[in-house]
């Protein structure tokens, strides 16, 4: 799951330490939402449907750093909303880098070029730019014309300024695998991104366009087409090989690891995961101790979890499996 070797080595060292300590539940990626406000209104978004007084809330830099320190995950994914409209985003990022956290700053990139000067390139920082297709499809998905061109301009400017950039793609119902494959070629070969992330969309109850979301069987069929021969393509997918296999219908036994990607939002620590908001805890410790983890995941029978194959639930499961079966995982990463 690493853009660079330093990150992969650091995450591997962290996981091995947890295993030596025999910790059964530990976080890998902190999902940090310092605000929910965005400058777009995508049809599949479940984050921006709150009233204005909630969208105006912001986590302070101190709250962000405290969350990172308390949970201890080596990777922090800063999402939202649109993090680049947070007035203290540069300070938040600088403080996380100081704490040696690997940061993915998730952005639609509308503001990326104009905000680059407030950041410094670092091995710890990667801009993760939302790209849901080539121009026509992307603009359709984000419900605004011209956004794809701005995202491409932002990526090129960030790369030229020495930053690491990854693309992040959410796959929805009705996706054309051939178009997505072209988009991945474009991102790798023309934009020269340092990595790509891809995940099926989750059916947020609050999202306005419910018809966009995938059922589990459809997800598997789509990903088999999208990822066919991805190693031969030279695509750098920032996921564990087992997660990519899971998306293509293998590892049916996998269940969700919701504590792998704990979420700190403007409301507190969200139960049980990034996708469902079924209550909030005031600390990470309280989240871990008071969430009824058995009530979530495929095996629980919870209808909200039955079609979910999202990375924030299953990447940690795949990483755990990777460390249990390193030889099989290496074979998966070679064969693609
Ligand atoms: S860019 Fe992201 S946060 Fe903003 S509306 Fe779209 S999906 Fe939601
Ligand atoms: S399967 Fe896991 S990640 Fe998906 S909705 Fe349920 S608890 Fe959340």
């Amino acid at each position: 799951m690493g853009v660079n070797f330093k990150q992969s080595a650091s995450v591997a060292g962290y996981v091995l330490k947890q295993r030596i300590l025999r910790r059964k539940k530990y976080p890998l990626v902190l999902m940090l939402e310092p605000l929910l406000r965005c400058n777009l209104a995508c049809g599949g978004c479940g984050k921006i449907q709150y009233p204005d007084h909630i969208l105006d809330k912001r986590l302070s830099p101190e709250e962000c750093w405290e969350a990172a320190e308390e949970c201890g995950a080596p990777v922090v994914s800063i999402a939202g909303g649109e993090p680049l409209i947070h007035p203290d985003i540069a300070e938040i990022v600088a403080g996380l880098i100081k704490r040696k956290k690997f940061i993915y700053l998730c952005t639609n990139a509308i503001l990326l070029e104009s905000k680059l000067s407030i950041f410094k390139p670092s091995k710890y920082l990667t801009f993760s730019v939302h790209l849901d297709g080539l121009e026509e499809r992307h603009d359709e998905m984000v419900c605004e014309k011209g956004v794809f061109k701005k995202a491409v301009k932002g990526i090129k400017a960030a790369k030229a300024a020495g930053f690491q950039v990854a693309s992040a793609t959410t796959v929805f119902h009705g996706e054309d695998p051939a178009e997505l494959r072209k988009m991945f070629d474009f991102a790798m070969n023309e934009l020269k991104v340092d990595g790509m992330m891809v995940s099926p969309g989750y059916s947020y109850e609050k999202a306005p366009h419910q018809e966009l979301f995938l059922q589990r069987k459809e997800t598997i069929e789509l990903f088999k087409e999208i990822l066919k021969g991805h190693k031969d393509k030279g695509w750098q997918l920032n996921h564990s090989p087992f997660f990519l296999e899971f998306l293509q219908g293998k590892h049916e036994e996998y269940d969700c690891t919701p504590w792998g990607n704990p979420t700190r939002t403007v409301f507190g620590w969200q139960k049980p995961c990034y996708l469902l908001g079924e209550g909030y805890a005031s600390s990470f410790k309280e989240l871990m101790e008071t969430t009824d983890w058995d009530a979530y995941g495929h095996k629980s029978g919870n209808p909200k979890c039955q079609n979910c194959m999202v990375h924030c639930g299953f990447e940690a499961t795949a990483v755990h499996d990777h460390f249990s079966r390193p030889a099989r995982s290496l074979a998966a990463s070679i064969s693609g």
Side-chain angles (χ1 to χ4, degrees), residues 18-318:
Q18 307 309 309
R19 290 170 73 89
I20 289 166
L21 293 172
R22 296 186 184 277
R23 283 182 73 192
K24 289 235 170 346
K25 290 187 174 75
Y26 55 87
L28 273 181
V29 180
L30 166 63
M31 308 295 286
L32 183 63
E33 289 185 337
L35 82 174
L36 291 166
R37 171 85 66 192
C38 191
N39 48 2
L40 281 178
C42 307
C45 184
K47 300 285 175 179
I48 53 165
Q49 315 302 327
Y50 289 97
D52 273 343
H53 73 278
I54 301 289
L55 295 178
D56 287 340
K57 280 182 186 278
R58 308 281 181 264
L59 287 182
S60 68
E62 290 75 18
E63 287 172 314
C64 294
W65 303 331
E66 194 186 307
E69 281 175 4
E70 194 202 348
C71 93
V75 180
V76 179
S77 174
I78 307 180
E82 170 53 55
L84 292 181
I85 60 180
H86 193 301
D88 301 321
I89 190 63
E91 195 184 345
I92 292 169
V93 166
L96 292 172
I97 291 175
K98 202 170 148 200
R99 288 162 177 80
K100 297 195 179 337
K101 301 295 178 187
F102 292 94
I103 303 156
Y104 286 84
L105 194 155
C106 306
T107 174
N108 57 39
I110 290 178
L111 296 172
L112 184 56
E113 191 176 9
S114 66
K115 295 272 183 175
L116 278 179
S117 61
I118 65 175
F119 299 101
K120 277 198 204 129
S122 163
K123 282 284 171 210
Y124 286 98
L125 174 63
T126 302
F127 291 111
S128 172
V129 177
H130 176 179
L131 279 185
D132 281 346
L134 289 168
E135 184 164 0
E136 197 180 328
R137 176 68 172 168
H138 182 73
D139 286 355
E140 181 195 345
M141 296 310 291
V142 301
C143 306
E144 192 173 313
K145 278 207 177 306
V147 175
F148 180 82
K149 281 201 170 80
K150 287 181 194 163
V152 165
K153 205 159 168 269
I155 291 171
K156 287 182 175 168
K159 289 288 301 174
F163 289 95
Q164 297 178 134
V165 182
S167 62
T169 302
T170 309
V171 177
F172 291 103
H173 175 75
E175 212 71 69
D176 175 1
E179 152 110 9
L180 273 185
R181 289 170 67 84
K182 274 190 214 154
M183 199 272 281
F184 289 154
D185 282 338
F186 174 72
M188 286 305 306
N189 303 331
E190 295 197 32
L191 299 179
K192 311 260 185 241
V193 294
D194 301 282
M196 304 191 293
M197 283 162 284
V198 61
S199 184
Y202 177 76
S203 54
Y204 290 105
E205 288 165 320
K206 286 184 189 300
H209 293 281
Q210 289 294 319
E211 73 284 0
L212 289 174
F213 298 113
L214 294 163
Q215 301 294 303
R216 195 177 164 112
K217 193 162 167 275
E218 191 190 357
T219 301
I220 291 168
E221 293 312 314
L222 259 177
F223 273 91
K224 277 183 183 167
E225 287 299 311
I226 293 167
L227 296 176
K228 202 159 42 180
H230 63 85
K231 277 281 154 192
D232 299 334
K233 285 285 214 174
W235 295 342
Q236 173 66 46
L237 291 159
N238 282 351
H239 295 289
S240 77
F242 284 168
F243 177 68
L244 296 174
E245 288 188 345
F246 170 69
L247 291 176
Q248 296 169 84
K250 294 186 183 165
H251 310 296
E252 279 184 17
E253 75 286 3
Y254 277 9
D255 209 351
C256 167
T257 304
W259 56 84
N261 288 36
T263 302
R264 172 70 162 99
T265 79
V266 294
F267 303 115
W269 290 88
Q270 182 164 301
K271 296 181 181 187
C273 68
Y274 181 68
L275 306 165
L276 302 175
E278 309 216 322
Y280 295 88
S282 58
S283 66
F284 177 68
K285 185 171 184 288
E286 186 186 318
L287 172 83
M288 295 303 288
E289 290 176 356
T290 63
T291 305
D292 179 9
W293 299 111
D294 293 341
Y296 299 99
H298 293 165
K299 289 175 192 155
S300 71
N302 187 329
K304 291 178 182 170
C305 297
Q306 295 313 300
N307 284 306
C308 179
M309 296 179 75
V310 172
H311 67 101
C312 62
F314 291 87
E315 180 86 63
T317 311

